[in-house]
RNA sequence: AGAGAGGUGGCCGAGUGGUCGAAGGCGCACGACUGGAACUCGUGUAUGGGGCAACUCAUCGAGGGUUCGAAUCCCUUCCUCUCUGCCA
């Protein structure tokens, strides 16, 4: 959640920032008004409550002294009415405020380039030259069929479309990749954790998936529980509603989880192959950091993910997201896009974001900094999306006969 | 899933209608003592909101109710523990 006090005091500046992310001024204006109203109602309410508390204390005193309380009771009863009215007003205002505030995206960092969508993103650099093929490289679904690696039909039979089954060496390579990624992250100081793949609504709100993006989540019927769309949710919320000490920061976490997404807005996109599935494996990095550490950690996370791709021999590029392409919670994001020779283009394989204090404010993750409590910064990034890495290996390591070589670093894992 | 017990501050634990944001202990921080430390003694030590501040409002798992007044009574709900059942 954005800082409403800041919005109040620096409305114009905040409007400019959020315009970068495509937020119209009207909603922002509404938010500001609601906030001001709530403050006013609350302050009058507080005065009445203070009055009520005083009178109640007096009431007890009168009783003990055997004095007559009839007159006082009349006063107290009248005040009670006023409080009840004000309280109702305050509750309504608060709900309205929360509804808008929780749906308001994060401020983009000042460094974030302007732009409307993906096409305005900025390529920072390319790592490794794509291999030159002396034959026409095939797309991964063709290779999958030739090698019996992916069973799309039976995946659909078991669940529905956008589910698939990995078989044989593909299944083993999926597992090898998970282990390889976790080991790489551990070397960079990330603690490995194994978490529930189902989280409750409050956690999903903490990281920003709820209330606005519920349509993209698989919900457990009859319960306030959801299949996680990314390990970012359980890893970040590990410290939900906690006050950490400055000493224990930064907390670096990594974990493997499957991710479940309804892909509600993606009908027709990437329908073929394994690029966009309802369930996919991912190894995630999360950092809970002191604000003065977060820039450096962000850089480290990007380098780590890029380094893993390099170790796997996968050409990729580093892309800085523009304001319009930035996710809801992110203040800044860098994507890594891997080269897919079969598709002849770069495709996202990792997304690393600094949400600054946006998630920390929602999830109430704070740290004690000489007596004072401050919000932490939270960062998250994939290292890496496992299924897409498998796809990248298939396309980059294919031979003319359709067979697929194993990347050197993966051999000891298989 | 059924039966019973219970959820209080960083932890333990008292508190069954008012003077309780909460005794006492532990832990922690600071100070005194010491060459230094332990011991001992003193002081301090929840969170969120409003206010420059004095101060004030809210919070005793969560939500609602009774009452002038609720940690304390009532209802709902979540969670934990024990026993039974089931299961990896």
């Amino acid at each position: 959640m954005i800082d409403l006090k800041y919005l109040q005091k620096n409305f114009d500046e905040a409007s400019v920032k959020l315009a970068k992310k495509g937020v119209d001024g009207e909603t922002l204006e509404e938010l500001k008004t609601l906030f001001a109203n709530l403050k006013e109602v609350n302050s009058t309410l507080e005065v009445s409550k203070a009055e009520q508390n005083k009178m109640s204390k007096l009431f007890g005193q009168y009783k003990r002294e055997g004095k007559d309380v009839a007159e006082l009771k009349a006063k107290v009863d009248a005040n009670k009415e006023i409080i009840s009215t004000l309280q109702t007003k305050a509750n309504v205002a608060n709900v309205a405020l929360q509804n808008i505030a929780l749906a308001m995206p994060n401020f983009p960092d000042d460094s974030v380039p302007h732009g409307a969508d993906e096409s305005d993103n900025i390529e920072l650099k390319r790592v490794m030259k794509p291999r030159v093929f002396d034959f026409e490289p095939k797309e991964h679904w063709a290779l999958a069929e030739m090698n019996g690696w992916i069973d799309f039909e039976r995946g659909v039979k078991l669940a529905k479309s956008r589910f698939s089954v990995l078989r044989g060496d593909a299944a083993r390579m999926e597992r090898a990749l998970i282990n390889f990624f976790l080991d790489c992250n551990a070397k960079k100081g990330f603690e490995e954790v194994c978490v529930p793949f189902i989280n409750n609504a409050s956690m999903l709100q903490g990281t920003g998936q709820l209330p606005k993006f519920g349509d993209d989540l698989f919900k457990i019927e009859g319960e306030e529980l959801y299949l996680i769309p990314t390990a970012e949710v359980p890893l970040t919320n590990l410290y939900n509603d906690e006050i950490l000490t400055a000493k224990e920061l930064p907390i670096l976490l990594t974990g493997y989880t499957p991710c479940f997404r309804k892909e509600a807005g993606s009908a027709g996109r990437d329908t073929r192959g394994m690029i966009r599935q309802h369930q996919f494996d991912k190894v995630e990095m999360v950092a809970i950091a002191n604000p003065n550490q977060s820039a450096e950690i962000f850089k480290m996370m990007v380098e780590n993910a890029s380094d893993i791709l390099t170790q796997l021999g996968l050409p990729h590029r580093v892309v800085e997201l523009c304001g319009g392409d930035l996710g809801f919670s992110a203040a800044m994001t860098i994507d890594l896009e891997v080269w897919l020779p079969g598709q002849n283009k770069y495709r996202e394989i990792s997304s690393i974001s600094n949400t600054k204090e946006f998630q920390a404010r929602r999830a109430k993750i704070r740290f004690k900094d000489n007596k004072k409590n401050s919000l932490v910064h939270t960062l998250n990034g994939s290292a890496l999306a496992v299924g897409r890495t498998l796809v990248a290996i298939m396309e980059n390591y294919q031979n003319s006969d359709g067979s697929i070589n194993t990347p050197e670093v993966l051999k000891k894992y298989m």
Side-chain angles (χ1 to χ4, degrees):
Chain A
M1 203 158 78
I2 59 168
D3 183 354
L4 293 177
K5 268 197 228 165
Y6 168 82
L7 178 72
Q8 184 86 350
K9 288 188 183 137
N10 310 281
F11 185 75
D12 293 335
E13 192 182 297
S15 309
V16 172
K17 287 187 181 195
L18 283 175
K20 220 175 182 181
K21 242 177 166 176
V23 174
D24 65 280
E26 219 171 285
T27 331
L28 212 54
E29 192 76 55
E30 195 182 345
L31 186 59
K32 186 187 165 195
T33 311
L34 279 167
F35 186 59
N37 284 348
L38 186 67
K39 260 179 99 166
E40 199 190 314
V41 173
N42 274 338
S43 68
T44 34
L45 178 61
E46 192 183 308
V47 171
S48 300
K49 278 186 175 173
E51 184 67 17
Q52 194 76 347
N53 287 341
K54 265 194 210 107
M55 287 196 283
S56 282
K57 275 195 180 131
L58 204 58
F59 194 102
Q61 197 184 316
Y62 278 20
K63 277 270 188 188
R64 257 176 280 125
E65 292 167 358
K67 285 189 189 163
D68 179 43
V69 293
E71 194 187 331
L72 184 60
K73 179 157 163 48
K75 262 164 102 176
V76 158
D77 281 340
N79 195 42
K80 207 177 165 186
E81 284 296 313
I82 295 170
I83 289 176
S84 155
T85 311
L86 283 170
Q87 187 69 63
T88 308
K89 235 172 150 179
N91 291 347
V92 169
N94 197 38
V95 168
L97 179 74
Q98 289 301 315
N99 281 344
I100 296 188
L102 286 172
M104 187 63 61
N106 196 5
F107 296 120
D109 189 72
D110 289 337
S111 67
V112 169
H114 285 273
D117 54 42
E118 204 179 327
S119 60
D120 295 319
N121 292 343
I122 294 171
E123 181 181 301
L124 297 179
K125 65 171 174 179
R126 297 190 176 200
V127 182
M128 301 183 71
K129 275 204 157 47
R131 167 184 163 200
V132 179
F133 287 84
D134 53 9
F135 59 93
E136 185 69 23
K138 296 177 187 62
E139 304 201 77
H140 74 275
W141 53 79
L143 296 162
E145 187 173 336
M146 293 171 78
N147 292 281
W149 272 25
I150 310 178
D151 193 335
F152 292 105
E153 291 77 13
R154 291 193 177 88
V156 174
K157 178 171 77 178
L158 289 172
K160 60 182 240 171
S161 64
R162 286 199 197 278
F163 283 91
S164 54
V165 176
L166 296 177
R167 309 190 70 141
D169 284 344
R172 292 178 62 229
M173 190 176 281
E174 178 92 357
R175 179 160 56 89
L177 283 168
I178 292 167
N179 288 334
F180 174 59
F181 292 162
L182 287 170
D183 285 351
C184 289
N185 294 344
K187 274 184 201 150
K188 294 284 159 62
F190 289 88
E191 178 198 356
E192 182 175 340
V193 290
C194 193
V195 291
F197 302 157
I198 294 175
N199 281 192
N200 63 44
S202 164
M203 300 303 115
L204 273 299
Q205 181 175 297
T207 31
Q209 285 76 18
L210 286 178
K212 209 178 173 188
F213 306 103
D215 284 352
D216 211 35
L217 299 171
F218 285 101
K219 187 168 193 256
I220 309 289
E221 195 183 342
E223 313 235 26
E224 283 306 306
L225 294 171
Y226 300 80
L227 298 182
I228 55 169
T230 160
E232 170 195 339
V233 178
L235 294 196
T236 307
N237 282 297
L238 218 49
Y239 295 97
N240 187 297
D241 200 19
E242 291 194 25
I243 300 166
L244 304 157
T245 57
K247 251 197 306 201
E248 56 193 317
L249 299 179
I251 296 170
L252 305 177
L253 303 165
T254 185
Y256 151 74
T257 71
C259 304
F260 302 92
R261 299 183 184 177
K262 281 200 169 175
E263 295 295 343
S266 309
R269 288 175 67 192
D270 301 308
T271 47
R272 197 126 190 237
M274 212 179 56
I275 289 285
R276 194 173 298 277
Q277 299 272 289
H278 287 309
Q279 174 187 328
F280 62 94
D281 289 326
K282 183 155 64 71
V283 173
E284 185 79 359
M285 308 175 276
V286 158
I288 314 283
N290 188 311
N292 66 28
Q293 303 164 328
S294 84
E296 192 187 328
I297 291 171
F298 182 70
K299 212 173 124 200
M300 180 272 279
M301 286 166 71
V302 173
E303 277 164 12
N304 181 45
S306 173
D307 180 57
I308 294 173
L309 283 169
T310 306
Q311 284 190 61
L312 283 167
L314 294 171
H316 57 281
R317 61 175 191 168
V318 182
V319 176
E320 183 178 21
L321 263 55
C322 72
D325 201 28
L326 226 45
F328 179 75
S329 296
M332 57 205 293
T333 297
I334 284 186
D335 275 4
L336 299 186
E337 297 182 348
V338 70
W339 175 250
L340 295 185
Q343 293 196 8
N344 199 39
K345 57 180 154 184
Y346 286 98
R347 293 298 305 256
E348 179 187 334
I349 195 164
S350 173
S351 188
I352 294 136
S353 299
N354 188 350
T355 82
K356 301 279 189 89
E357 49 177 58
F358 184 82
Q359 290 178 328
R361 185 172 289 108
R362 289 174 158 251
K364 300 194 189 78
I365 309 175
R366 294 144 295 175
F367 72 105
K368 211 176 260 299
D369 196 9
N370 47 32
K371 300 269 180 186
K372 255 195 72 184
N373 291 328
S374 313
L375 294 167
V376 299
H377 278 193
T378 66
L379 302 92
N380 64 80
S382 11
L384 299 163
V386 182
R388 287 190 180 181
T389 307
L390 185 65
V391 166
I393 290 171
M394 290 167 78
E395 295 200 7
N396 283 281
Y397 280 83
Q398 62 179 295
N399 301 313
S400 57
D401 64 354
S403 62
I404 297 157
N405 297 338
T406 301
E408 204 50 44
V409 290
L410 232 45
K411 281 184 177 157
K412 65 174 178 187
Y413 285 92
M414 294 192 59

